[in-house]
Every structure is written in structure tokens, then in C-alpha cells.
Amino acid sequence: MLNLSGTGRWPAAAGLAALGLMALGGCASTAPDDFVAAREVTGHAARLPQDEIIYFVLPDRFENGDPSNDTGGIAGDQLAHGFDPTHKGFYHGGDLRGLIDRLDYIEGLGATAIWLGPIYQNKAVQGPPGDESAGYHGYWITDFTSVDGHFGTEADMRAFVDAVHGRGMKLYLDIITNHTADVIQYRECADAYWEGERVSDRCSYRSVADYPYTTRGGRGGEAINNGFIGHSPPFQTEENFAKLTDFSFAYTPYIPAGEENVKTPAWLNDLRYYHNRGNSSFAGESSTMGDFAGLDDLMTEDPAVVAGFIEIFQDWITKYRIDGFRVDTTKHVNSEFWQAFNPAILEHARSIGLPNFTVFGEAYHAGDAAMVARHSRIEGFPAMLDFGFQDVVARVLIHGDPAGVLSRFFAIDDLYEGDAAYQSPTFIGNHDMGRFAGLLREAHPEMNDKEMLRRVELAHAMMFFARGVPTLYYGDEQGFVSDGHDQLARENMMPSQVEVYNDNRLIGTDATTADSNFDMQHPLYLAIQGMAAVRTGEPALRRGIQIERLAEEKGGVYAFSRLAPEGGHEVLVVMNLRNEARTLGIPVDSRSKTFRSLSGACPSRAAATGVIEIELAPLGYAVCKSGDWKN
């Protein structure tokens, strides 16, 4: 077992790959006593990642099942415990018990997997005076091994996992390896604020070229860290990092009094495991080595950090039999870390009977699908959160680009490793960039609710029927319309007390976010429920190869087929991305002579060999299954 109890170094290892194997061996002893390696994999664990329909939820904003944990067991006022249900940036009271209470609602929608926002213990409140906010979102971690008290107890987590798995659903955890909460400060810019903002030029990123590891405070400074030869390959070894003992090469980092032991595991309290170079500009080397808006950026090049995080998250899999991880801020961590972490995690899951465990990374390359795909090929991610899909759907359904842009987008699938494009979660909006309906209203404030509803439904249809794994953002099925991104797109499902949420005009309903929004008769809930039933019932829409049939270069019709994985038929999906009716011919497989409708109006027979004629309503779509090619 690796020593994670203190801040000492681990035994030497010959590189990151070796550390991955060490971590695997170290955690084998934590497997359940009754584990039988050869046991048959059944139920939800037997499903492939591409079979799922994911529901992404921030637990704080969903349902309050236990008001006794609202303050997380922390005394004092909202600036101490972080609970203020009237403020968009503070805890609102949602918790694991509330999620358990609403599993009927999530399952009824058709979701088969829940992606749970981070539930680890967070620093409750951060930020400069007058601009504080709370860790309700879960990304300011202090203890990577336990559940945040605002969300419940370890027993609540066990009950939630058991309830999810008891329904045959999967649970994906949101994990972070890039940073911790903002604890470490720099002498040179401590308490340097102006009008509530940190003075950027005193805390900004200081590069390796200008501030080498081997001199203090710049190239001409006093010599330090004798023998350390840098953080890059091939020097990512235990022996090399043992020579990095003075951390004042760029700034003078320190841990404020009273917070020396705030992080768990204890090794995270050691300054040696952080880059200590100031705030990232999100460009160049600062993208992977700078503090993310002040959050303490981990030295993920150090093999000890790699081994430590492998063990942390292997333990979560072993303890709760988690089914997958969504990895935050993937592109802000060096590739060598992932090249060790991903295979170690996947092998550990397989070793305890979870052969279909998935890991999907979050790399926000706006509008650059090729860069997203690169992470699957270079870093071994089985899947990536598909930002390219979100971008292209917004282009055709919000900004009016022609269907031809979809053709060019899907062609990039060839750049993914293996079938990663088919395993990658697709989405149309999220907690960072905002909701699809909000982006639509921002671009077209004059658009009536009827057209907005049709466009939002069509965006979901593309997500459900095209390749990839459809990922619903909680509240979208209730017609939530965010009026911004980040905190402005994290509304409550339970009754909200936040004025900036409650004045939002939702679509498909007369309700507001001041109401409890779990309406299982909402038109979007019913539409998504229907799409989920079609997708779940048709293997071609979950596992079938996608073949483009029509992409109008200047028009708005896009059509593709999904081929049955066992062969014998195709499922044709035709979408009219414009607000005008169309009648047109669509190429199909020449063996497809008859069709039946899975959704929308489909012709019963081909108009000619290899062609069907179809009528599409404005912003309409059809899903048509061909007859058996052998008959």
C-alpha cells in the first residue's frame, strides 16, 4: 500500500507508467473480501458506455432532502458555512437525500446514468472581501476522500449509490486532479486587492524561462534546488523531484496560519506538490502550470502526485463501485499524467468486475473539435465531453449555419482513437457555458415561445439520435432558460429564493424557478422521455455506425443513418433545421425497401431503389427504421 498518511516521499519509480502499476498493486488489498474476479458481469455493469443516457446534476441545486445539513455542520454566518439560499453563488441546500427522493423523476425521464457534480469536502467560502462565494459546485476541494457535509454523510452516499444501482442505473462521479481549493498564498501578492479583484500583475503567471526552478525570484537570483533538471520528460522521476526543495523560484508561497493541515490526504498540504507560479492566463505553459483563478495548481508532473491521485480515485471505485469518472479541467493537466492515470484507473475497475467503466475528459476547446479528439489519441481517454457537438448544434439551430457544417464536424470523428467518438457524451448546454435555451434567447430575444420550444426539442433530438452519449443538463427538461453562464445557469429545481433566477421566463410552462419544477407532464420532459424510449429500444441508435446521407451545403436538412450493429437494417434520421416545411428525397441503402416510423412521419416504402421521399414539418424530424434487408 502506498504511503499517503504523511508528506514524505514515495519509493523511487522508473517513470509514470511504473507509478501507475505501483498504485494498482497498492490498492488491490482494498478490494471487497467477497470479490470473485471471474464472476459474471450482469445488470448495469454489463452495459457499454454508449448505451447510456446521462443526467448531469449539481446536487446543491436539485432537492433538499435533509435541511439539517444545510450549513454543512459549520458554525457561524453565511461567510463561514456558505449557506445562503437567496444568493446565486452560495449553497442552497440540495443534497444526496434529496436526489434519492427524486430518483423516480430522473428514471422516468429515461436516464440510465447520473453524472453527479463533485461531492467531495470543499472549502466552504472563498474570494476577496465583498466578492465571496461558496463551494456549492464542488470544485474547491480540501478533502478528496470524504463527502462534503453540505451534501450529507458517507452513509447518505452509500444509500444514494445503492438506490441508483438498485434501479439498474449507473453513477458517474465528477473528479478533479488539476487543483485544490485556494489555500496557498504568495507573499508578493497576499491581500492585494483592488475594487474586489486581485491585482493581476502581482499574482500573474511567472514562466519557467523568466523564473527558473534553480534560482530564487528570477534568472539572476540566488541559486537554489541544486541538481533539479526540470519538470518535463524524461525527468519526471522520483529522484529528480526529490531535489526540488525550495519553492521560492517564482513567488514565495506559504500556507496561512490555521490552514496548515486543512487538506486530505495529508500529502496535499506540502508546498512541494504545487506549481507555485501564479495565476494562469490559460495560454502557453501557464495553461497546465498556472493557478486556475487562484486555485492551488498541483505539480502533476511529479510522479508522487500521479501515484497519489491514482490511489485516491481507485479507492472511490472500490468503496462505492462507481461506474465512471468525468474529469474536470483535463486540458490543464500535462499529458504524461493522463497516460499513467487513465490505464491505471481502467485496469483497477476491470480488476473488481467493472469492465465497462468509462473516463471522459472535459477539455473546453471552443469550436475546435479536432483538439477535443486529440485527448483521446494522445492521453488515452476512452471518451471526451463533446464540446464540438455543442458548438455545431448551436451554429445550425441558433445562428442559422447551413447543414453542411454538420458534415464537416462529423468527419473529425476519424481523429478520435478507436470508437471514442461513439462513447463521448454529447451535450447542448451545461453549468459553465449556459443552457441551450438561454443561448437561443440571447441570440433571438424576439423569438416566440412556440418556436423556441421546437428548436430546443430538435437540439435534444440530434443529441439522442446521432453518435455519442446524450447528456441532459438538469432543468433543461423543465424549460429552464438561463440568462448567462456559470452561476447564472445553475438554477434550482426545488423552489428558488434567488431573484435573478426567479425572473427568468421559462419555456413550455407558466411556472418559474420559484416553484418546485419536477413536472413529469412538461412538454420537454415528455418529448425527451419519448426520445429516450426510442434510443433505448433500438441498438442501432446506441451502437450503430453513423453514415451521412444528406447535408445541404446551403440549406437546412441533415440526414444520416445508423446501421444495426448485428447488420440487416438501418435507422434513418432526417432533420429539418429551418422553420419552413420541406419535401425532398433522401438517399438510403439500396436494400432498404420498406420503413416504419420510430418517431415522426415516415414513408412506408422507398420511392425508388436507394431513395425515399419524406415530408418534414418546420423544425421537424423523423426517425425511420428500414425493413430487414434479407426479406
Side-chain angles (χ1 to χ4, degrees):
M1 191 75 174
L2 292 175
N3 172 26
L4 294 183
S5 61
T7 58
R9 306 295 295 186
W10 286 269
L16 299 187
L19 274 162
L21 294 174
M22 285 171 57
L24 283 170
C27 278
S29 63
T30 64
D33 293 338
D34 61 349
F35 168 68
V36 179
R39 68 183 176 187
E40 182 182 2
V41 177
T42 59
H44 64 274
R47 292 199 306 267
L48 296 178
Q50 51 266 51
D51 286 345
E52 308 306 331
I53 296 168
I54 302 171
Y55 190 80
F56 169 38
V57 59
L58 294 177
D60 179 66
R61 301 302 165 93
F62 201 66
E63 182 70 298
N64 192 343
D66 182 5
S68 71
N69 61 33
D70 286 353
T71 61
I74 301 171
D77 62 11
Q78 69 269 29
L79 293 182
H81 52 62
F83 176 68
D84 182 352
T86 69
H87 193 299
K88 70 183 190 302
F90 280 68
Y91 287 96
H92 290 176
D95 52 30
L96 292 166
R97 283 288 164 187
L99 279 163
I100 294 171
D101 292 344
R102 292 294 185 177
L103 283 177
D104 282 348
Y105 171 88
I106 297 173
E107 185 181 22
L109 185 60
T112 63
I114 294 174
W115 159 12
L116 185 64
I119 43 76
Y120 321 98
Q121 186 67 48
N122 267 230
K123 189 172 186 178
V125 177
Q126 290 184 175
D131 195 27
E132 300 92 348
S133 61
Y136 69 92
H137 42 69
Y139 295 102
W140 297 344
I141 303 173
T142 53
D143 184 349
F144 284 80
T145 68
S146 66
V147 174
D148 192 294
H150 293 85
F151 302 144
T153 64
E154 301 296 321
D156 292 331
M157 182 65 182
R158 168 58 62 196
F160 176 63
V161 173
D162 289 347
V164 169
H165 286 165
R167 293 168 180 260
M169 301 171 73
K170 291 184 178 180
L171 180 61
Y172 298 154
L173 285 190
D174 208 317
I175 71 170
I176 302 96
T177 67
N178 177 65
H179 56 259
T180 71
D182 182 10
V183 175
I184 298 170
Q185 303 300 316
Y186 304 127
R187 299 285 181 196
E188 292 80 358
C189 57
D191 301 321
Y193 297 100
W194 180 72
E195 293 185 356
E197 297 294 332
R198 191 181 293 275
V199 178
S200 61
D201 62 352
R202 295 184 65 188
C203 291
S204 61
Y205 184 78
R206 291 183 171 178
S207 71
V208 175
D210 291 333
Y211 296 87
Y213 290 104
T214 52
T215 58
R216 178 175 290 120
R219 289 189 296 267
E222 175 189 354
I224 57 175
N225 299 321
N226 182 45
F228 182 68
I229 49 178
H231 65 271
S232 300
F235 311 122
Q236 294 173 352
T237 65
E238 189 73 17
E239 296 88 344
N240 182 44
F241 275 91
K243 299 170 184 175
L244 183 62
T245 58
D246 188 324
F247 318 115
S248 59
F249 39 82
Y251 289 100
T252 309
Y254 71 98
I255 298 175
E259 295 189 290
E260 295 89 348
N261 298 302
V262 73
K263 296 179 184 179
T264 303
W267 61 268
L268 288 165
N269 295 299
D270 194 327
L271 291 172
R272 73 172 61 243
Y273 298 123
Y274 298 86
H275 285 120
N276 300 314
R277 288 188 172 275
N279 288 328
S280 177
S281 67
F282 304 105
E285 71 180 43
S286 85
S287 181
T288 57
M289 295 172 60
D291 296 340
F292 193 113
L295 299 170
D296 299 349
D297 197 71
L298 283 145
M299 179 74 83
T300 46
E301 296 83 3
D302 187 333
V305 174
V306 182
F309 273 113
I310 287 172
E311 182 157 359
I312 286 169
F313 290 115
Q314 284 178 339
D315 284 349
W316 278 94
I317 300 171
T318 300
K319 185 174 184 179
Y320 293 110
R321 298 190 68 78
I322 301 302
D323 302 289
F325 290 151
R326 178 268 193 184
V327 184
D328 183 63
T329 52
T330 294
K331 73 175 185 178
H332 300 301
V333 176
N334 58 300
S335 294
E336 297 82 17
F337 178 94
W338 301 123
Q339 290 162 2
F341 182 88
N342 285 334
I345 290 296
L346 294 170
E347 177 55 33
H348 178 71
R350 282 191 291 269
S351 77
I352 63 169
L354 297 170
N356 295 314
F357 190 95
T358 189
V359 182
F360 55 98
E362 180 241 8
Y364 188 5
H365 298 285
D368 195 339
M371 283 297 291
V372 175
R374 179 182 180 275
H375 292 275
S376 72
R377 187 169 293 275
I378 302 300
E379 297 166 351
F381 279 94
M384 293 298 297
L385 198 58
D386 199 340
F387 280 90
F389 181 88
Q390 188 282 331
D391 176 74
V392 78
V393 173
R395 288 174 65 185
V396 297
L397 280 174
I398 295 178
H399 303 297
D401 283 13
V405 302
L406 287 160
S407 180
R408 289 182 282 280
F409 164 72
F410 285 116
I412 291 171
D413 285 359
D414 292 337
L415 301 182
Y416 280 89
E417 181 70 21
D419 65 350
Y422 286 77
Q423 294 191 38
S424 290
T426 52
F427 69 101
I428 58 174
N430 66 15
H431 60 316
D432 290 329
M433 66 172 46
R435 299 181 184 275
F436 182 87
L439 298 172
L440 180 60
R441 181 164 286 166
E442 180 183 19
H444 303 283
E446 77 292 345
M447 187 176 290
N448 63 58
D449 284 359
K450 183 178 180 181
E451 182 176 345
M452 279 195 68
L453 189 63
R454 289 203 306 268
R455 288 183 182 272
V456 171
E457 180 179 341
L458 186 55
H460 279 89
M462 184 165 291
M463 185 170 68
F464 268 83
F465 303 134
R467 64 95 181 114
V469 183
T471 303
L472 301 160
Y473 182 40
Y474 83 95
D476 281 0
E477 76 280 3
Q478 293 295 322
F480 281 16
V481 182
S482 60
D483 51 7
H485 66 286
D486 197 74
Q487 292 182 5
L488 291 171
R490 300 173 182 179
E491 303 93 337
N492 296 352
M493 295 286 282
M494 58 194 176
S496 169
Q497 300 177 47
V498 180
E499 291 183 8
V500 74
Y501 294 161
N502 294 345
D503 64 4
N504 293 353
R505 183 163 54 91
L506 311 188
I507 57 174
T509 180
D510 292 328
T512 72
T513 56
D515 301 304
S516 180
N517 282 281
F518 294 96
D519 180 8
M520 297 175 74
Q521 297 302 310
H522 190 288
L524 279 173
Y525 185 99
L526 294 174
I528 291 168
Q529 184 182 66
M531 295 175 202
V534 171
R535 187 179 190 277
T536 300
E538 179 49 61
L541 293 172
R542 293 182 277 112
R543 303 184 180 186
I545 296 297
Q546 181 168 311
I547 297 177
E548 186 174 282
R549 297 302 190 192
L550 178 67
E552 292 187 322
E553 278 298 314
K554 295 184 179 180
V557 173
Y558 189 72
F560 57 89
S561 289
R562 304 290 304 274
L563 303 187
E566 73 280 6
H569 70 273
E570 68 181 306
V571 176
L572 177 70
V573 181
V574 188
M575 297 190 165
N576 180 8
L577 308 171
R578 299 288 170 80
N579 197 18
E580 56 187 22
R582 293 289 301 278
T583 300
L584 71 169
I586 305 291
V588 294
D589 192 285
S590 60
R591 294 167 290 182
S592 297
K593 297 179 173 60
T594 61
F595 289 87
R596 65 181 179 88
S597 172
L598 299 181
S599 183
C602 298
S604 59
R605 302 192 63 82
T609 300
V611 178
I612 70 166
E613 184 177 284
I614 193 165
E615 296 181 6
L616 293 170
L619 298 170
Y621 64 93
V623 183
C624 311
K625 182 176 181 178
S626 77
D628 192 330
W629 289 342
K630 297 177 182 178
N631 298 319

